[in-house]
Amino acid sequence: MTDLPHLTAPDRPDLHEMFAEHWPAQFPLIDFGRGIACAKCTRDAKATINDHMVLWPCPVVEKAIANGP
């Protein structure tokens, strides 16, 4: 088992609610050695195979961090 990746994000209160919904989860079957997916986005996509997994950080997390407070 590998450690979950560290996500570099400022400690911003505006991100707390988003991180409560979007979190990394380990899926060892994702191809190319990238076994971390966003649990919420992957669940929402009803992913059952690797092609539908939403890799971490998901677009929602990336956008929230990039947009700033």
Side-chain angles (χ1 to χ4, degrees), residues 31-51:
D31 294 334
F32 308 113
R34 295 190 64 188
I36 307 298
C38 175
K40 181 184 185 331
C41 291
T42 297
R43 182 185 64 219
D44 289 352
K46 295 181 174 49
T48 56
I49 59 173
N50 291 346
D51 292 347

Side-chain angles (χ1 to χ4, degrees), residues 1-15:
M1 181 172 183
T2 60
D3 292 329
L4 294 177
H6 177 71
L7 184 63
T8 303
D11 184 21
R12 296 186 352 224
D14 63 304
L15 296 177

